[in-house]
Every structure is written in C-alpha cells, then in structure tokens.
C-alpha cells in the first residue's frame, strides 16, 4: 500500500533555531514529491517539486531535498511567519493525477 | 488575478440533507480537483476533471457523492443524504493542465453535519 508519513507531527522552535521536517514514503512508483504550506483556515500553498533522488530546491529560508525513501524540508533561521503546517505529497506513476498527502507537520516558531 | 473561489465557506446541515459545494477555478485552468481534509490530516483525493469530463473519480467514497463541471469551468460537488462522517473541509484546486502536483487550492468549504 502506498504510504506517506511525516514526522514529527508538531514542532516548536525558537526564532532562529534551524531544524528539519521529514517525509518518508513507501510507494510503488514515484513521479514526483511535493511540499505545500498550509496556514490555519486556508488551502495548501505550493512550495516545491522534487523529481529525482539527489535533487534540491530552495526558497528563502526553506530547502527541500529528496532521497529514494524520504524527503527533508530544512528550515534555516526561521521566523515567526514561517509558522504553519507543512504538507508533503507524492504523485505516483500509476496514480494518474492524484496526490497522496502525508498528515502534515505543524510548525510553530516562537519569537 | 483571482484565485480559486469556493462557496460557501461554511455549511452546517442536518444528517440526511442534500448539500452542494461550488468551486470557481482560476480562469483558463483546464484541470480541476476536489480533495477532502479532516481535522489533523492531510487532504484526501476525491475527483479530477480535465475539461468537462471526470477523468478520475476513484476517490469518491460512495455513490452519495457526485461532482459535475458542465462547461469546463465552475464545478459543483454534490452530497446526498449527508452523514456525520462527511464533516470535513472540502478543498478545490485547479492547475493549467499539465502539472498534476503543482496545484492552486481554494480556501475550502467547511461542512458540518449535525
């Protein structure tokens, strides 16, 4: 069964304290892995796409990396406005156009 | 430019009632998706439209759920004989056509079934 698991479920950091969020996946065939950010009461907002192991993408304080079994979202020197739920999702070779999401990591950055 | 618009933002109904949720995608986006998100969970795929046709409805949980997109733009998700377990946020997303994973989501319609 195709599965996407994110850890930790929740993470509290102090402003400026760098850390990483994990997304591990067990899937039959990966077309792509996607990271989204979701603020309370809003829909998910697209951040990154990763297609192959070794690929990295960066945007401001965020960097996403991909291996054959997992992806990491690294947050460097976070600010309170980075507080959100971060969702990881996979697109499968046999899954046509549907994303399979993990349950998310709720990140809180304290000032 | 307007994003994906969903109405109503909140809907409270009684068990057994019929509900319609509307999605107005970004102009020119041919692909439209419905997802459902329960509290503390990631979104779960329901259905995908390319143009007017439902290309993949494998995520619809049962035959009480139905969605249409008659003119290839606005879509309506219809739920018959609602049950308490249908309570969730229903998210609509659109994309220009090719990027199945790079979606533009609306803010969702929160459905509460009493």
């Amino acid at each position: 069964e195709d599965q996407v698991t994110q850890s930790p479920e929740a993470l509290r950091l102090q402003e400026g304290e760098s850390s990483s969020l994990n997304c591990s996946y067990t899937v039959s065939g990966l077309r792509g892995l996607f990271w989204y950010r979701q603020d309370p009461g809003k829909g998910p907002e697209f951040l990154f796409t990763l297609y192959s192991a070794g690929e990295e993408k960066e945007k401001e304080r965020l960097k996403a990396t991909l291996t054959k079994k997992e992806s990491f979202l690294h947050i460097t020197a976070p600010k309170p406005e980075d507080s959100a739920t971060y969702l990881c999702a996979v697109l499968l070779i046999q899954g046509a156009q549907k994303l399979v999401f993990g349950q998310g990591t709720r990140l809180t950055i304290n000032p | 430019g307007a994003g994906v618009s969903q109405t109503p933002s909140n809907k409270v109904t009684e068990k057994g009632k019929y509900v319609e949720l509307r999605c107005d995608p970004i102009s020119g986006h041919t692909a439209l998706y419905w997802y459902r998100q329960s509290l503390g969970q990631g979104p779960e795929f329901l259905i995908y439209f390319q143009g007017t046709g439902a290309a993949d409805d494998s995520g619809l949980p049962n035959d009480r759920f139905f969605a249409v997109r008659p003119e290839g733009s606005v879509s309506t998700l219809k739920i018959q004989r609602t049950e308490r377990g249908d309570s969730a946020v229903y998210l609509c997303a659109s994309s220009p056509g090719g990027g199945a994973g790079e979606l533009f989501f609306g803010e969702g319609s929160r459905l509460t079934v009493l």
Side-chain angles (χ1 to χ4, degrees):
Chain A
E1 182 186 349
D2 299 311
Q3 262 194 322
V4 179
T5 304
Q6 292 188 245
S7 61
E9 289 188 8
L11 181 62
R12 285 184 174 271
L13 300 172
Q14 289 299 122
E15 184 172 2
E17 181 184 1
S18 301
S19 188
S20 297
L21 314 182
N22 177 263
C23 170
S24 63
Y25 57 92
T26 307
V27 299
S28 49
L30 183 72
R31 277 174 60 191
L33 186 140
F34 303 82
W35 283 96
Y36 281 82
R37 168 191 172 128
Q38 187 172 27
D39 292 301
K42 305 290 187 183
E45 176 187 351
F46 170 76
L47 291 173
F48 301 111
T49 307
L50 300 165
Y51 289 111
S52 55
E55 191 174 357
E56 298 184 353
K57 294 276 179 70
E58 281 190 70
K59 180 180 179 179
E60 296 181 358
R61 294 176 293 282
L62 300 176
K63 182 169 80 171
T65 61
L66 181 65
T67 73
K68 289 189 177 180
K69 293 183 179 180
E70 58 192 349
S71 176
F72 291 93
L73 185 65
H74 306 278
I75 303 177
T76 302
K79 299 182 178 181
E81 54 261 42
D82 295 322
S83 298
T85 295
Y86 290 85
L87 295 162
C88 163
V90 298
L91 195 64
L92 306 177
I93 290 173
Q94 293 185 325
Q97 297 279 322
K98 64 182 175 188
L99 286 171
V100 177
F101 281 87
Q103 81 277 23
T105 293
R106 190 171 63 255
L107 178 66
T108 304
I109 308 298
N110 295 314
Chain B
V4 176
S5 175
Q6 292 189 245
T7 55
S9 54
N10 275 288
K11 176 71 176 179
V12 180
T13 191
E14 293 179 346
K15 181 172 176 290
K17 298 290 188 182
Y18 170 80
V19 165
E20 286 191 355
L21 307 175
R22 175 189 165 108
C23 173
D24 201 340
I26 293 172
S27 177
H29 282 193
T30 59
L32 185 146
Y33 307 77
W34 285 98
Y35 283 78
R36 177 168 72 173
Q37 187 173 26
S38 300
L39 192 64
Q41 301 299 313
E44 178 187 23
F45 172 82
L46 295 177
I47 187 169
Y48 154 63
F49 288 90
Q50 182 59 254
T52 60
D56 182 355
D57 65 357
S58 62
L60 294 178
N62 51 59
D63 61 6
R64 296 187 297 104
F65 288 75
F66 190 70
V68 295
R69 194 186 185 198
E71 297 178 355
S73 178
V74 171
S75 175
T76 304
L77 179 65
K78 308 181 181 196
I79 311 173
Q80 298 178 323
R81 303 183 304 281
T82 52
E83 299 177 356
R84 292 193 181 89
D86 299 335
S87 297
V89 175
Y90 289 81
L91 294 164
C92 177
S94 68
S95 75
E102 298 180 22
L103 305 182
F104 296 81
F105 280 88
E107 295 195 347
S109 292
R110 179 177 298 278
L111 175 66
T112 303
V113 182
L114 301 177

